[in-house]
Amino acid sequence: MSTASPGIVRLTDVVKDYPLGKVTVHALQRVNLTIEKGEFTVIAGPSGSGKTTLLNLIGCIDVATAGEVTVDGKSTGKLTDKQLTALRLNSIGFIFQSFNLINVLDIKQNVEFPLLLQGGMTKAQRAARVDDVVDKVGLRQFASQRPNELSGGQRQRVAIARALVTRPAIVLADEPTANLDSVTGTQIIDLMRDINHADKTTFIFSTHDDKVMKRADRIVRILDGMLEAAGLSEARASGVIENGGGVHA
Amino acid sequence: MGVLLSIALRNLMQSPRRTLLLGLAIGLVTTFLVLLLSLSRGINENLVTSATTMSAGHVNVAGFWKPTTGTAFPIVTGVAKVREVVEKSTPGLDYVVERHRGWGKVVSETGSVQSGLTGLVAAEESRFFDRLILAEEKEYKDGGSEQVLGDPRRLSEDDTIVLFAGQAKKLGVGVGDVVTIKTETMSGASNTADATVVAVARDLGLLSSFSVFVPKSLVLNLYQLNDDTTGALWVYLKDIEKSEETSVIVRGALIDAGFLLRDHESNPFFFKFEAVQGEDWTGQKLDVTWWQDEVSFLTWVLTAFDTVTWSLTLILVVIIAVGIMNAMWNAVRERTREIGTMRAIGMTQTRVLVLFLLEALFLGLGATTAGATLGAAIALGVDAARIPVPSDAVRTILLSNELNLSVQLNSLLTAVVFLTAFTGLSALWPAIRASRLQPVKALTHTE
Ligand SMILES: Nc1ncnc2c1ncn2[C@@H]1O[C@H](COP(=O)(O)OP(=O)(O)O)[C@@H](O)[C@H]1O
Ligand SMILES: [Mg+2]
């Protein structure tokens, strides 16, 4: 395995077990994966294959049973809750399947929220940053509305703006299109890809939808907690199947 | 952080029914507490007023005179000298008055009452006449008018008496009638004097059933005492708050001047009588007290009342705490996924805790402020209405014939701060649980 590039995300022999009554569910089994800065990666697999588990570990909202997860240069296994929280705040943006906006705040306030948690910016700086990302996702005219006044696709755009506003190293999106119709879903993925191309923001998202996964630069397939292949979509198309070591052309 | 305040406030408004219901409960308990505290302060005021009119100056220099070891009289001899020392040594002195003390029976054609006799020099008094509120005639006479009759300043005339309404009613007399006072002199002989009722004062609770006012000369005559004796010197200060410290200064000054003094004992003079009778000395000893000493037998009323107030409040507050906790558990449950989201985005445990506590504190502050305002309004209204207290027992406890509520900023703040803090405290456990939720579990939580 290449050691030249540490990757923005690196999983080494990662295992995640869930105790379920008397049995243990092996959600992830010895997963090795490296994701480079600026990649637009999809974790693809059927329901129950372990996509959410994998993204939760990368997103530092869950801890591995064994193995090492390194995010933005930090090995997460030894971090305290406070340090993990800070890592999430400063290095990771989250986009959720069901949008998860704060309903009592309007769109602008939702987007501004992570900046307020970070602190250290003036009101004007925050406003400029918020306007910038709200523009980017095309929601300028909805800025002072509440989330429940918007359509699903619009809400997911708000979530994207909220994820981007801190300029995180990685944006994680767990099945961001699952609650959207296919046209809207495609638009959302295209918006994410446009931002990826423009800003070189690293995106990792999951899906079980073939149409959606085709729009990614790199597809990492997962089945029963094991990575089947990881590589560029071109590589997949040409029949080359690599092991999940993250080495790609 | 401003955004937490704003989220907390908006979350409260998001469930208006729950907020209003809880707010109403917290507010009503606050109202209740404010009313009881105002009543307590009212009783305290009654106590101070009646005590410093009826039983004591701010500082008292009384004394016991023992002609033999087995007898004792509540008399200060050689008043002029004592008075000189007191007037010279008291800082912040307003004025000094003499009060002669006696005990006797006031008799009319139709009845009689036992009472302490207070002999005063009308020319010396100022506060006394201001504080003494005269009764309307109908308060002591069936079919009497609403007019206030008589003038207590006529105590400057010989052989006059001021009664309280309750006594006048029992005796069946009014202003202008003549009553007979019967006492026993020091030698054991009985003595009588007639006195004309010059005024009838409104009752002041317990203390007023055992007191009548007569000119100093009348007491001197009844007891056959010379002019250089008195019962006590009542010292009034410009600032009543300084009473206790001033009593210490006066005591020191009297000792320095060569007088013999009894050790300080926080009891009214009539409590000390028996002890003094048993003591093995003769001659004169002075006894310096301050006004609370003289009514220390009444302060239990306040203590008891405050105990009941806070016990009732605590019971109500515990009931409400259950409601608050329950509501907070619901809020945490309903918003578990939101908590998970905020934690994932990078909100610390502490901030989640603060968010939920803020919500409770806002509710508490809003509800208690409204409740305290309502309580203050009701208390002021009731006080202004001068509602008569129907039962004698209650009158005794309240030290007044009318409901007297005293609204003080302090009481309002106490109620608001205490109950708001309690609301916050009730929410603490749910808030801690909310903050400790694991982000993953919270995010996957389903209702
Ligand atoms: N908290 C949990 N407790 C027990 N089993 C779990 C838990 N979370 C996920 N699993 C199991 O782990 C496996 C992977 O789940 P998940 O990562 O959610 O898959 P996906 O997101 O691909 O649908 C599934 O078999 C699922 O049932
Ligand atoms: Mg999933």
Side-chain angles (χ1 to χ4, degrees), chain A residues 112 115 120-132:
Chain A
E112 188 188 19
L115 294 180
M121 275 177 126
T122 67
K123 203 174 166 176
Q125 287 171 321
R126 285 198 307 268
R129 186 76 78 84
V130 169
D131 286 346
D132 179 48

Side-chain angles (χ1 to χ4, degrees), chain B residues 304-374:
Chain B
F305 190 85
D306 287 346
T307 308
V308 170
T309 296
W310 285 104
S311 306
L312 282 176
T313 304
L314 271 179
I315 292 170
L316 289 174
V317 138
V318 166
I319 295 171
I320 283 188
V322 174
I324 297 169
M325 254 186 239
N326 187 51
M328 287 308 280
W329 281 127
N330 283 337
V332 170
R333 205 171 32 243
E334 285 164 19
R335 301 215 304 270
T336 297
R337 238 164 45 103
E338 188 176 292
I339 297 165
T341 305
M342 295 194 286
R343 293 281 288 121
I345 288 175
M347 188 153 158
T348 56
Q349 291 189 343
T350 312
R351 279 181 173 165
V352 174
L353 180 76
V354 169
L355 178 62
F356 278 89
L357 283 186
L358 273 179
E359 206 170 311
L361 289 175
F362 266 136
L363 176 65
L365 195 65
T368 55
T369 305
T373 309
L374 178 67

Side-chain angles (χ1 to χ4, degrees), chain A residues 8-9 33-44 54-55 58 170-173 176 189 192-193 196 201-207 212-213 215-221 229-232 248:
Chain A
I8 193 86
V9 172
L33 174 67
T34 302
I35 290 168
E36 299 299 336
K37 201 166 174 1
E39 280 188 343
F40 193 70
T41 308
V42 65
I43 311 288
L54 182 61
L55 286 175
I58 297 171
I170 310 145
V171 174
L172 299 175
I189 298 297
M192 285 169 32
R193 200 181 54 190
N196 164 261
T201 307
T202 313
F203 275 85
I204 308 171
F205 68 102
S206 68
T207 190
V212 169
M213 73 183 76
R215 305 183 98 83
D217 297 335
R218 179 184 173 196
I219 299 177
V220 175
R221 288 188 173 274
L232 298 169
H248 57 276

Side-chain angles (χ1 to χ4, degrees), chain A residues 56 61-62 81 85 88-89 94 96 98 100 102-105 109 113-114 116-117 146 162, chain B residues 1 3 6-7 10-11 14 337-338 341-349 351 439-440 443:
Chain A
N56 286 348
I61 52 175
D62 206 354
D81 182 84
T85 305
R88 292 197 297 267
L89 177 60
F94 284 91
F96 302 93
S98 32
N100 294 22
I102 298 168
N103 282 319
V104 294
L105 299 181
Q109 290 167 327
F113 190 64
L116 290 168
L117 292 177
R146 293 283 182 95
R162 181 178 65 184
Chain B
M1 208 170 60
V3 71
S6 137
I7 293 178
R10 288 174 196 207
N11 278 332
Q14 201 70 7
R337 238 164 45 103
E338 188 176 292
T341 305
M342 295 194 286
R343 293 281 288 121
I345 288 175
M347 188 153 158
T348 56
Q349 291 189 343
R351 279 181 173 165
V440 197
L443 274 170

